[in-house]
Amino acid sequence: MSSNHPAEKSPQSDSILSYPPPKSASVRHSNLPTENSTKSDSVLHSSYRRSFSSNQFPPAAAISASWRDSSYPVEYSAKSDPILDWNSQRSSSVYQLRSSVNSVREVNFGDLESKPVRYGSRTSHSEGLSQSQKEFNDEDARLIHINDPARTNERSGFAGNSIRTSKYSVITFLPRNLFEQFHRVAYIYFLVIAILNQLPQLAVFGRAASILPLAFVLLVSAIKDAFEDFRRHKSDRVENNRLAKVLVDGQFQLKKWKHIQVGEIIKISSNDTLPCDIVLLSTSDPTGVAYVQTINLDGESNLKTRYAKQETLSKNPEKEDISGIIKCDKPNRNIYGFQGIMETDGRKMSLGPSNTILRGCELKNTDWAIGVVVYAGRETKAMLNNAGAPSKRSRLETQMNREIILLSLFLVVLCTIACTLFGTWNGRHKDELNEMPFYRKKDYNKVPQKDYNYSGIGLEIFFTFLMAVIEFQIMIPISLYISMELVRVGQAYLMNRDTSMFDEASGSSFQCRALNINEDLGQIKYVFSDKTGTLTENKMEFRSASIWGTDYSSQNANEVDDYCVQVDEQVLRPKVMVSIDPSLQRLVKDGRDTDERRHIRDFFLALAACNTIVPILTDSPESNVRIMEYQGESPDEQALVYAAAAYGFTLIERTSGHIVIDFRGERHRYDVLGLHEFDSDRKRMSVILGCPDKTVKVFVKGADTTMFSVIDKSLNPNVVRATEEHLHSYSTVGLRTLVVGMRELDDLEFDHWQSAYATASTAIIGRAAQLRKVASRIETDLTLLGATAIEDRLQPGVPEALVSLRNAGIKVWVLTGDKQETAISIGYSSKLLTREMRHIIINCHSKEACRRSLQSAMAASHMSTVSDDVTNNDGPSGPATSQLALIIDGSSLVYILDSELEEELFLLASNCSVVLCCRVAPLQKAGIVALIKNRTDDMTLAIGDGANDVSMIQMADVGVGISGQEGRQAVMASDFSMGQFRFLVTLLLVHGHWNYQRMGYMLLYNYYRNAVFVLLLFWYTLFTAFTMTTAISDWSSVMYSVIYSSVPTIVVAILDKDLSRRTLLKYPRLYQSGQQEEGYNPALFWLTMADTLWQSAAAFFIPLFAYWKSDIDVSSIGDLWTLAVVLLVNLHLAMDVIRWNWIVHAAVWGSIVATFVVVIILDCIPILPGFWAIFHVMGRWSFWLSLLIIAVAGLVPRFIVIVFSQYYFPSDVQIAREAEKFGTFSDWERGEIQMNPLPLNSQQR
């Protein structure tokens, strides 16, 4: 999430007010102030408590006179509040800047209409407006009678406040859980098999035994679901039975949350959690302010401010009757928007988000708050947003479905062969069937004689086919799904405990939030990254200033640590030290009244006043010294205010109507007459101040792209030119820039502005647009004061991480809101860009210009490709795409995305190894990810730290959130979260590689071990007249895939490592084995099936020939076959294990021992078939010799193939494994051992 001005971080619209509170939609915040951080200093404590009260404005007509008639304005107590609270006007820009939260989410939830989301259009944000942003009318309104819940709910029937997050009840658990589990087609398959086995004509296994595998799988899943739902039931019960104070018969009485109704008035005490969504009526603060923490709602820990309307502040519900009507939005998911009207005592007031507190928020630093319930229970915004992020399926799981289909076809082939041969055999021996011992068509015990369930040859063939399906059912591995879930849980546990991905600075550890896509981390081809807060620290440091055409770049800067302010016998010291320019400091200290000093004074006054910063006092070890911390949503604004303080312009107090700034010992009070917040159209903010000399000035700061359009360049052209040069020099070294301007307003201009503002702020329809026009009219003909430059330093390890990712074959795209020069500079410092790269820059403002630029760029890229190919033929060189970097801005993307030019952009970007997108909006980020995702099969990963990255994170195959300075919206929407960007290297190159290799091998091994057993049964069928009888006991057949052979593969898939962490990090190119699908592909599947065919033949025919014409019965040789298969598949697994430890040893060899024990136990039970059979065969030397020969004969061909392929056609992973084992990395690094050449992608072919 990046921008080159602080306001770009704020998702606010252009509201105008006496002073705005910290935004509830804040995406940046400083640390949460402690409870006692505002308790000691009376002056500053009251400032903090009264700060941001937007309701302290007088009527519009009275402002001019009242302000000019007094040296300092009194605290206004308006009888009517014509000024809409700041938050109620911001919903449109919330959608624009928060589109990553609302646009994509609401498309997923289906709240938007059928209109598609347009990623590129400037007007795309308005195509899916949420409910609170549409024009407000009675049809869309919810009507609430204040303090009259009976009348409110009489006709409407609003939801009660009881919530239910659980899925099941005692009655619905069994049917609903089974219904959900049978969404897996494989489970339906096994259910059909179990039902068929219950029929007498088709019974192959025992009826109980045939149900056991499916029942076991369903039971395990049901127990897991029941436990999770029990916890939800328990949580719901605790939540619903919590107590709150509700107004009943004129007194506040305790009432359970679940009994609260819409329309009731409730009272919340400090540190209490809100039980429902309320509109504030009054608070303990005389100005109506309340502080809330929204961490349970949006993950942000900083305090937000909410306000009661002036008209209801003085009302005491326990002493006087409160009545009225509220018309507001119908329930919707937009937690940042609310629009309504409150009518009470004959007066009508506008309501916005700052007048509401949502369920789940906690009241902080406020003794009490009273409000009326507008949404309850499941209709609260918190519950409506309780649907979670869209689910994702891993690439391997999708590919697995293809193999499952192939195995199903293979099963059908085996069954067809069996029933066809049965029909042939039956036809040849039809005259012998009556007396044939193992067939016995006739039942001679009956008089007259009858056939044994014989239905004719046609039906017998059909029944044989169905019996074959039942007997060979485990060809589809039922235990595979549970095995995959267990393996993913184990892998996630190991990733979460990886100390190398623990961020000590923030104390945050790695979190695996989505268990079903672990293996996708090993196949990533594209990484889409935000810049600010993701690649950089998002900790801003003031570096340079250009004031009135003079550059103060702090070349000889030193840190100031002794400047402080004396207030009421206490010393206030700014918390952050700032590097200052000595020459500028001397000018500031110069007491002469010169033009230069006046310009400097106005410049720093703009930095100190044009913001939403609140000074907070905390204690220090020295009793008379207090630390002054500036809290605000934007790190940029904090840096600017600290810089102003370092030069002696210290903001020491902010209230609802004024600010106090200390100018090197001289305290001055400025009345905040209005403030226009940033919006995405203007890209600037402004504050209107009443100065001590009775003048009114408007100070504006914002992005250079919009500020120079409102600067009067004719006033001081030399200053404008010099400032532009300074801005360019700042940007080229990677600094974030802002332009500052001002203008003095005369009485007529001020009156016109105030009148227009009053009209716009009370408008019900089109309020935001009208306020935007008012702001634009006053922000004109400005005098340029200067510019600021702030450094956002790179996070540690970012350059090395980007180099490793590129060496791993991953294309890195950086999507930022910063200006082009700043982004390019950061690209060089992060080593994303190199001096050898050719830059293709596209900055266009029309569709035709974009088309021409793309065509020219494509031609240039083709020429570069041809040139590099010639170079590669003459000598070693990098791939052709390594020399190209595409740099494109958001203005161009407006015309390219969602048009026919998308394809041209895709082709061009595919030829570039680096893509840098500047000035992009949140929804454009998602569009860029979709550009690649919809046109290639390559895996995509998006990483970001802020709310404007959410749409990009959810669009990508894998989303990673950074736990940074901008709240936790990105983390909450992500699949994985971490503290630093550099941890992405470990996540992908180490854990991603391991997870992919393990999961790919586990899938192939599960196909193999089940197919070996099925083919063993098939071979036996050929020697038993195709009658579908089995030599292996029913219980052994059932437990083979569930108990005998399932544990070792799970353990190996969690713990095995084909290469060490050090090797994978040192040689990033090894990661490409996952991109090239070396661990799981159709060729490996068919090779595995061929190996399966041979091993099953060895396991069957060796005992068959060894005991041919012997007196060993069927049950005895069946036990031998069972043990032989289990021994064979475990030895097969042991051959492939790379890293042995005691757990792997216990799993592999313990599985073999456990099988012997279980078989012996089963044969000791008299009521089961095959009683004592194992003891008949184990006592003979041929039994043990057969097991030895089976192991050797079955695995030697596999061993030979492995040796041959690894010797003559080794993969990079195999080369690295050998180098690890024999210590030959030095030969590799000298080039004596070459890696395999990279395959060309589809665009390069």
Side-chain angles (χ1 to χ4, degrees):
M1 179 172 176
S2 28
S3 70
N4 72 329
H5 50 84
E8 278 194 327
K9 292 293 186 175
S10 170
Q12 311 303 330
S13 69
D14 41 83
S15 55
I16 308 170
L17 52 138
S18 63
Y19 194 79
K23 275 65 73 179
S24 65
S26 168
V27 293
R28 292 185 179 177
H29 60 272
S30 56
N31 292 333
L32 175 68
T34 57
E35 291 293 330
N36 59 5
S37 63
T38 59
K39 291 183 179 178
S40 54
D41 188 283
S42 59
V43 175
L44 291 176
H45 176 61
S46 63
S47 300
Y48 174 60
R49 298 283 290 173
R50 291 180 296 132
S51 64
F52 298 130
S53 176
S54 62
N55 301 295
Q56 295 296 321
F57 251 120
I63 284 188
S64 179
S66 65
W67 179 79
R68 297 184 188 279
D69 289 343
S70 62
S71 58
Y72 292 104
V74 297
E75 292 293 329
Y76 300 117
S77 56
K79 294 181 180 179
S80 63
D81 187 9
I83 301 170
L84 178 68
D85 212 347
W86 68 281
N87 246 337
S88 60
Q89 297 135 24
R90 68 177 185 163
S91 56
S92 294
S93 64
V94 167
Y95 183 85
Q96 293 173 355
L97 285 180
R98 288 263 180 181
S99 57
S100 57
V101 176
N102 293 331
S103 302
V104 172
R105 284 245 180 179
E106 292 190 278
V107 169
N108 290 335
F109 288 138
D111 283 348
L112 302 182
E113 298 173 357
S114 59
K115 298 178 181 179
V117 176
R118 293 179 57 80
Y119 297 109
S121 173
R122 289 191 186 276
T123 62
S124 64
H125 308 297
S126 63
E127 294 195 23
L129 293 178
S130 61
Q131 180 73 21
S132 63
Q133 293 162 295
K134 297 177 182 177
E135 293 186 352
F136 191 72
N137 54 61
D138 290 340
E139 294 181 0
D140 293 329
R142 155 177 286 215
L143 184 62
I144 300 166
H145 296 273
I146 300 175
N147 200 22
D148 192 351
R151 188 177 176 189
T152 299
N153 294 274
E154 182 180 8
R155 295 183 179 179
S156 304
F158 298 142
N161 201 44
S162 176
I163 59 109
R164 178 181 175 184
T165 60
S166 57
K167 296 171 60 177
Y168 313 108
S169 67
V170 176
I171 298 175
T172 63
F173 174 77
L174 187 60
R176 184 172 179 181
N177 185 261
L178 290 176
F179 177 77
E180 290 176 352
Q181 290 201 59
F182 279 107
H183 273 71
R184 285 180 167 171
V185 178
Y187 289 2
I188 298 178
Y189 162 78
F190 284 104
L191 177 64
V192 172
I193 296 297
I195 293 174
L196 292 177
N197 194 73
Q198 306 307 306
L199 302 177
Q201 299 92 337
L202 304 178
V204 176
F205 303 115
R207 295 182 178 180
S210 65
I211 298 175
L212 182 63
L214 180 61
F216 176 78
V217 172
L218 294 175
L219 180 63
V220 170
S221 297
I223 292 175
K224 176 182 72 70
D225 293 340
F227 177 71
E228 292 177 352
D229 205 59
F230 172 77
R231 294 173 61 185
R232 286 192 287 264
H233 270 288
K234 187 176 180 180
S235 175
D236 291 345
R237 194 179 306 113
V238 172
E239 189 84 353
N240 289 327
N241 289 319
R242 295 174 71 173
L243 299 177
K245 295 178 181 178
V246 180
L247 187 66
V248 180
D249 298 329
Q251 291 185 337
F252 285 106
Q253 300 178 9
L254 292 178
K255 194 175 186 179
K256 290 184 178 181
W257 280 20
K258 62 183 178 181
H259 296 146
I260 295 175
Q261 293 179 291
V262 174
E264 289 186 314
I265 294 177
I266 65 173
K267 183 177 183 179
I268 305 299
S269 301
S270 181
N271 297 321
D272 282 352
T273 301
L274 270 292
C276 46
D277 297 352
I278 67 171
V279 167
L280 273 178
L281 296 177
S282 60
T283 72
S284 58
D285 189 274
T287 62
V289 66
Y291 298 93
V292 298
Q293 188 181 62
T294 61
I295 192 169
N296 294 329
L297 190 66
D298 58 12
E300 296 184 14
S301 59
N302 60 324
L303 293 183
K304 313 292 194 312
T305 46
R306 297 292 184 268
Y307 301 93
K309 304 301 288 187
Q310 287 290 319
E311 290 79 358
T312 60
L313 266 181
S314 59
K315 292 182 179 294
N316 187 340
E318 292 183 299
K319 295 181 179 180
E320 59 180 304
D321 182 50
I322 296 181
S323 61
I325 293 175
I326 293 178
K327 293 181 180 179
C328 63
D329 303 326
K330 290 183 178 179
N332 61 81
R333 291 185 173 94
N334 184 7
I335 63 175
Y336 305 107
F338 178 84
Q339 189 168 336
I341 304 169
M342 180 164 59
E343 298 180 22
T344 180
D345 297 335
R347 289 175 293 182
K348 181 181 294 187
M349 295 151 279
S350 301
L351 300 174
S354 67
N355 306 123
T356 64
I357 307 180
L358 305 184
R359 180 188 180 111
C361 298
E362 292 184 16
L363 191 67
K364 296 288 186 181
N365 290 4
T366 307
D367 294 335
W368 53 264
I370 295 175
V372 57
V373 180
V374 290
Y375 305 122
R378 66 176 183 273
E379 294 178 341
T380 58
K381 293 180 183 290
M383 295 304 297
L384 290 173
N385 280 280
N386 201 25
S391 60
K392 299 177 181 179
R393 295 183 63 192
S394 73
R395 175 70 57 85
L396 274 184
E397 191 170 350
T398 303
Q399 294 173 339
M400 181 187 76
N401 292 334
R402 176 188 62 201
E403 272 66 52
I404 293 295
I405 293 174
L406 292 176
L407 290 175
S408 301
L409 295 176
F410 186 45
L411 173 65
V412 171
V413 170
L414 291 181
C415 296
T416 302
I417 292 174
C419 70
T420 302
L421 293 178
F422 169 77
T424 304
W425 181 89
N426 197 294
R428 290 181 178 178
H429 300 85
K430 59 182 179 180
D431 297 331
E432 308 170 22
L433 295 180
N434 290 343
E435 291 79 21
M436 196 168 285
F438 52 83
Y439 196 88
R440 286 283 299 277
K441 175 183 173 184
K442 289 288 187 182
D443 184 1
Y444 292 100
N445 295 324
K446 299 285 183 67
V447 179
Q449 299 171 359
K450 295 183 178 179
D451 291 343
Y452 278 112
N453 297 324
Y454 187 78
S455 305
I457 190 170
L459 283 178
E460 288 294 307
I461 293 175
F462 177 68
F463 290 155
T464 301
F465 180 87
L466 295 180
M467 292 169 66
V469 172
I470 296 172
E471 185 170 341
F472 304 151
Q473 61 179 291
I474 65 168
M475 177 66 77
I476 311 299
I478 189 173
S479 62
L480 180 57
Y481 295 100
I482 288 184
S483 298
M484 291 178 68
E485 296 300 323
L486 293 175
V487 167
R488 285 166 173 164
V489 170
Q491 292 174 349
Y493 174 79
L494 295 178
M495 288 191 290
N496 291 341
R497 290 178 59 86
D498 189 344
T499 56
S500 66
M501 293 193 292
F502 176 78
D503 181 27
E504 295 182 357
S506 63
S508 59
S509 58
F510 177 84
Q511 289 185 354
C512 179
R513 300 170 55 85
L515 296 178
N516 54 339
I517 57 173
N518 293 349
E519 56 271 20
D520 282 349
L521 294 171
Q523 294 183 281
I524 301 300
K525 184 66 176 179
Y526 287 88
V527 168
F528 300 89
S529 175
D530 175 40
K531 185 186 77 66
T532 303
T534 303
L535 299 180
T536 61
E537 292 181 338
N538 201 18
K539 296 179 180 178
M540 310 303 172
E541 296 184 12
F542 184 84
R543 288 302 183 196
S544 303
S546 172
I547 305 176
W548 203 249
T550 303
D551 180 18
Y552 302 98
S553 295
S554 304
Q555 298 295 334
N556 301 314
N558 53 10
E559 280 198 351
V560 60
D561 58 1
D562 59 346
Y563 185 76
C564 54
V565 179
Q566 190 81 18
V567 175
D568 296 337
E569 298 181 354
Q570 284 194 329
V571 177
L572 306 184
R573 179 176 297 159
K575 181 180 180 180
V576 176
M577 306 303 169
V578 178
S579 299
I580 61 173
D581 185 275
S583 61
L584 179 57
Q585 185 75 307
R586 285 193 295 271
L587 289 173
V588 170
K589 292 180 179 180
D590 189 353
R592 293 175 297 177
D593 186 15
T594 63
D595 289 340
E596 186 177 28
R597 193 172 185 275
R598 281 195 297 270
H599 295 318
I600 293 174
R601 183 188 182 100
D602 287 338
F603 177 82
F604 283 111
L605 174 59
L607 298 191
C610 190
N611 52 66
T612 57
I613 295 296
V614 183
I616 302 295
L617 295 181
T618 57
D619 295 328
S620 70
E622 303 176 53
S623 59
N624 66 327
V625 177
R626 305 199 69 193
I627 302 301
M628 186 160 53
E629 178 182 358
Y630 292 125
Q631 278 207 356
E633 65 175 75
S634 169
D636 299 71
E637 289 188 344
Q638 290 174 310
L640 294 178
V641 177
Y642 278 120
Y647 284 99
F649 298 80
T650 309
L651 173 67
I652 62 173
E653 180 179 341
R654 186 185 294 279
T655 70
S656 58
H658 69 268
I659 59 175
V660 176
I661 299 177
D662 183 277
F663 292 160
R664 307 202 67 82
E666 298 178 10
R667 199 162 306 163
H668 297 271
R669 169 170 166 165
Y670 293 85
D671 295 286
V672 181
L673 304 177
L675 191 144
H676 296 259
E677 265 293 350
F678 168 85
D679 71 75
S680 59
D681 289 334
R682 291 164 41 245
K683 294 187 177 178
R684 55 184 180 266
M685 67 178 298
S686 59
V687 62
I688 301 166
L689 297 181
C691 302
D693 59 0
K694 299 298 182 177
T695 60
V696 179
K697 295 179 181 179
V698 55
F699 292 89
V700 187
K701 69 177 181 182
D704 56 349
T705 53
T706 61
M707 283 296 293
F708 281 113
S709 64
V710 297
I711 295 283
D712 188 349
K713 298 182 180 180
S714 64
L715 294 178
N716 299 283
N718 293 333
V719 172
V720 173
R721 283 195 297 271
T723 305
E724 288 177 333
E725 293 175 0
H726 298 158
L727 285 169
H728 181 75
S729 64
Y730 298 157
S731 298
T732 54
V733 294
L735 300 180
R736 299 157 61 87
T737 58
L738 278 173
V739 175
V740 182
M742 64 156 287
R743 181 165 67 94
E744 185 173 337
L745 304 179
D746 56 33
D747 293 351
L748 184 61
E749 284 182 304
F750 178 77
D751 291 339
H752 284 170
W753 165 80
Q754 188 58 48
S755 175
Y757 167 77
T759 301
S761 63
T762 55
I764 300 300
I765 297 177
R767 184 185 305 156
Q770 293 184 44
L771 286 168
R772 191 177 298 114
K773 290 180 181 179
V774 174
S776 299
R777 288 170 185 165
I778 202 168
E779 297 168 347
T780 57
D781 300 328
L782 302 177
T783 299
L784 177 63
L785 292 177
T788 63
I790 298 173
E791 180 184 13
D792 185 10
R793 291 183 299 183
L794 287 174
Q795 294 179 9
V798 166
E800 295 79 6
L802 291 174
V803 170
S804 294
L805 293 177
R806 288 181 55 200
N807 290 338
I810 298 174
K811 294 186 176 183
V812 181
W813 293 25
V814 174
L815 316 178
T816 176
D818 277 341
K819 61 188 301 183
Q820 180 178 301
E821 293 83 359
T822 303
I824 291 176
S825 176
I826 293 295
Y828 279 118
S829 61
S830 65
K831 296 184 181 180
L832 181 70
L833 301 176
T834 64
R835 299 296 175 185
E836 293 76 21
M837 285 184 177
R838 289 187 56 190
H839 292 183
I840 299 176
I841 300 177
I842 299 179
N843 294 330
C844 302
H845 298 283
S846 69
K847 190 171 184 178
E848 278 305 313
C850 289
R851 190 189 309 276
R852 290 193 298 269
S853 296
L854 288 173
Q855 292 172 350
S856 301
M858 281 296 297
S861 68
H862 286 314
M863 291 177 61
S864 175
T865 302
V866 172
S867 174
D868 286 339
D869 286 343
V870 173
T871 303
N872 290 337
N873 291 333
D874 293 337
S877 179
T881 57
S882 63
Q883 302 301 317
L884 296 176
L886 173 63
I887 301 166
I888 187 170
D889 68 351
S891 299
S892 303
L893 292 173
V894 167
Y895 304 102
I896 294 174
L897 296 180
D898 302 313
S899 73
E900 69 277 7
L901 298 181
E902 269 194 349
E903 188 65 28
E904 295 185 35
L905 175 62
F906 166 72
L907 295 175
L908 173 61
S910 299
N911 288 329
C912 303
S913 59
V914 173
V915 177
L916 193 58
C917 300
C918 316
R919 298 291 196 189
V920 290
L923 203 56
Q924 287 178 325
K925 292 184 177 183
I928 293 167
V929 176
L931 179 75
I932 297 300
K933 187 177 177 181
N934 297 337
R935 285 172 170 81
T936 70
D937 291 330
D938 297 326
M939 297 291 294
T940 59
L941 179 146
I943 179 171
D945 72 315
N948 68 345
D949 301 317
V950 171
S951 58
M952 172 179 72
I953 287 172
Q954 291 189 343
M955 176 61 68
D957 295 303
V958 177
V960 178
I962 297 290
S963 304
Q965 305 290 319
E966 301 187 18
R968 291 178 53 83
Q969 294 96 327
V971 169
M972 294 169 69
S974 65
D975 305 306
F976 306 93
S977 68
M978 58 181 65
Q980 294 279 332
F981 179 85
R982 69 178 186 271
F983 299 151
L984 187 63
V985 176
T986 301
L987 178 64
L988 297 184
L989 272 58
V990 178
H991 291 287
H993 175 85
W994 285 342
N995 292 345
Y996 171 74
Q997 296 290 340
R998 295 162 173 167
M999 188 63 73
Y1001 179 80
M1002 192 198 76
L1003 293 179
L1004 293 172
Y1005 180 80
N1006 271 270
Y1007 303 151
Y1008 150 77
R1009 68 182 176 93
N1010 282 35
V1012 164
F1013 194 80
V1014 168
L1015 287 173
L1016 185 74
L1017 299 177
F1018 176 76
W1019 300 131
Y1020 183 77
T1021 296
L1022 301 181
F1023 287 85
T1024 55
F1026 318 104
T1027 54
M1028 296 299 118
T1029 56
T1030 62
I1032 298 173
S1033 68
D1034 297 348
W1035 289 103
S1036 289
S1037 298
V1038 167
M1039 289 189 290
Y1040 172 76
S1041 60
V1042 177
I1043 296 177
Y1044 290 172
S1045 58
S1046 60
V1047 175
T1049 179
I1050 294 174
V1051 171
V1052 171
I1054 295 175
L1055 299 178
D1056 197 26
K1057 302 175 183 177
D1058 59 345
L1059 290 169
S1060 68
R1061 177 191 300 264
R1062 179 177 177 274
T1063 299
L1064 291 171
L1065 292 176
K1066 188 175 182 180
Y1067 303 100
R1069 184 172 167 179
L1070 295 170
Y1071 180 79
Q1072 294 170 355
S1073 63
Q1075 296 173 342
Q1076 299 167 16
E1077 298 184 348
E1078 292 181 4
Y1080 186 86
N1081 54 61
L1084 282 177
F1085 173 78
W1086 291 114
L1087 185 62
T1088 300
M1089 289 298 102
D1091 189 24
T1092 299
L1093 189 66
W1094 168 260
Q1095 291 190 32
S1096 67
F1100 176 79
F1101 287 104
I1102 289 174
L1104 179 67
F1105 293 141
Y1107 292 98
W1108 190 262
K1109 295 183 179 180
S1110 69
D1111 59 351
I1112 294 297
D1113 62 1
V1114 171
S1115 297
S1116 296
I1117 199 171
D1119 289 340
L1120 174 56
W1121 277 326
T1122 300
L1123 296 172
V1125 171
V1126 173
L1127 176 67
L1128 192 61
V1129 298
N1130 280 281
L1131 291 177
H1132 176 111
L1133 179 65
M1135 286 179 60
D1136 296 329
V1137 173
I1138 308 299
R1139 311 275 172 171
W1140 286 92
N1141 55 51
W1142 71 269
I1143 300 177
V1144 177
H1145 278 292
V1148 174
W1149 312 123
S1151 178
I1152 298 174
V1153 172
T1155 303
F1156 271 87
V1157 172
V1158 172
V1159 169
I1160 290 173
I1161 292 174
L1162 289 176
D1163 284 358
C1164 290
I1165 301 176
I1167 62 174
L1168 295 180
F1171 175 67
W1172 220 251
I1174 185 65
F1175 299 102
H1176 292 160
V1177 70
M1178 282 181 63
R1180 307 188 183 194
W1181 62 267
S1182 56
F1183 172 82
W1184 304 103
L1185 181 62
S1186 295
L1187 291 179
L1188 177 62
I1189 295 175
I1190 288 171
V1192 173
L1195 297 177
V1196 164
R1198 171 180 171 79
F1199 178 78
I1200 294 173
V1201 171
I1202 290 175
V1203 170
F1204 180 82
S1205 62
Q1206 293 187 5
Y1207 186 83
Y1208 291 102
F1209 310 102
S1211 66
D1212 292 341
V1213 172
Q1214 291 162 353
I1215 294 173
R1217 192 185 304 156
E1218 182 178 337
E1220 258 189 0
K1221 184 175 182 179
F1222 298 105
T1224 57
F1225 277 117
S1226 57
D1227 298 336
W1228 195 2
E1229 293 167 352
R1230 289 195 302 268
E1232 297 178 15
I1233 302 176
Q1234 295 290 336
M1235 277 192 174
N1236 297 318
L1238 286 176
L1240 296 176
N1241 58 38
S1242 58
Q1243 285 76 34
Q1244 293 172 296
R1245 290 192 180 105

